[in-house]
Amino acid sequence: MIIVERTDPHHPQATALLQQSHALMQSLFPPEDNYYLEIDDLVSPDIYFFTAREGDTFLGTGALRVKPDYGEVKSMFVSEAARGKGVAAALLRQIEDTAREEGITTLKLETGNVLHAAHRLYARHGFTECSVFGDYITANSSLFMEKKL
């Protein structure tokens, strides 16, 4: 059974997953197109950071950043060994539930243009492509999506 819960990103297993995610993004995209949050940034009061686990093993991470007009999905990552088990979907459901509890009516996200599995996940959950938002700039390696809640 997959358990999703709010977690300190400094937990060793959470940190390890975030470091794997950052390394992957650095291998796929130029530095100026990497918009991931550093681990210390994920403890900000405007961020809900979640992990998904089976037993004591952490399988994935995800976060909700609360903005004045929307919520932003951040730090979505699932370990390679856990992909295909529904971990990302479970994390995304928790992020959406938390956004609703916070009164957020729109979720937005930025993801890499070559992360096709992520595109499919977000589309299955009702996200559609949108224009650049917030502090982002238009980049060839970025895809922007949103969902009305």
Side-chain angles (χ1 to χ4, degrees):
M1 175 198 281
I2 297 170
I3 305 294
V4 176
E5 59 196 354
R6 197 160 181 195
T7 308
D8 182 339
H10 292 105
H11 183 287
Q13 288 189 62
T15 296
L17 286 170
L18 290 164
Q19 289 171 338
Q20 289 173 40
S21 174
H22 296 173
L24 177 62
M25 296 306 108
Q26 290 167 0
S27 75
L28 294 173
F29 306 108
E32 64 273 13
D33 291 350
N34 273 305
Y35 298 109
Y36 58 78
L37 295 173
E38 297 295 338
I39 295 165
D40 287 340
D41 295 333
L42 290 167
V43 296
S44 174
D46 64 334
I47 294 178
Y48 292 84
F49 179 78
F50 302 99
T51 55
R53 63 180 173 81
E54 278 184 325
D56 294 333
T57 303
F58 286 28
L59 306 174
T61 66
L64 168 66
R65 176 179 250 174
V66 178
K67 298 287 210 166
D69 299 323
Y70 59 91
E72 185 177 359
V73 177
K74 298 292 291 181
S75 302
M76 287 290 291
F77 181 75
V78 175
S79 70
E80 193 170 334
R83 292 181 187 153
K85 292 184 171 187
V87 174
L91 284 160
L92 196 53
R93 280 191 300 275
Q94 180 63 58
I95 289 168
E96 289 182 14
D97 289 347
T98 302
R100 286 184 183 95
E101 290 169 8
E102 288 293 319
I104 294 169
T105 59
T106 304
L107 281 178
K108 297 186 179 206
L109 62 88
E110 179 275 339
T111 189
N113 64 328
V114 297
L115 300 175
H116 303 294
H119 305 167
R120 289 189 299 273
L121 168 78
Y122 297 132
R124 278 194 311 272
H125 285 266
F127 284 82
T128 57
E129 288 189 40
C130 67
S131 59
V132 65
F133 63 89
D135 295 332
Y136 293 103
I137 58 170
T138 302
N140 289 334
S141 61
S142 288
L143 177 70
F144 300 95
M145 302 182 85
E146 69 180 357
K147 176 182 180 174
K148 301 291 183 195
L149 298 178

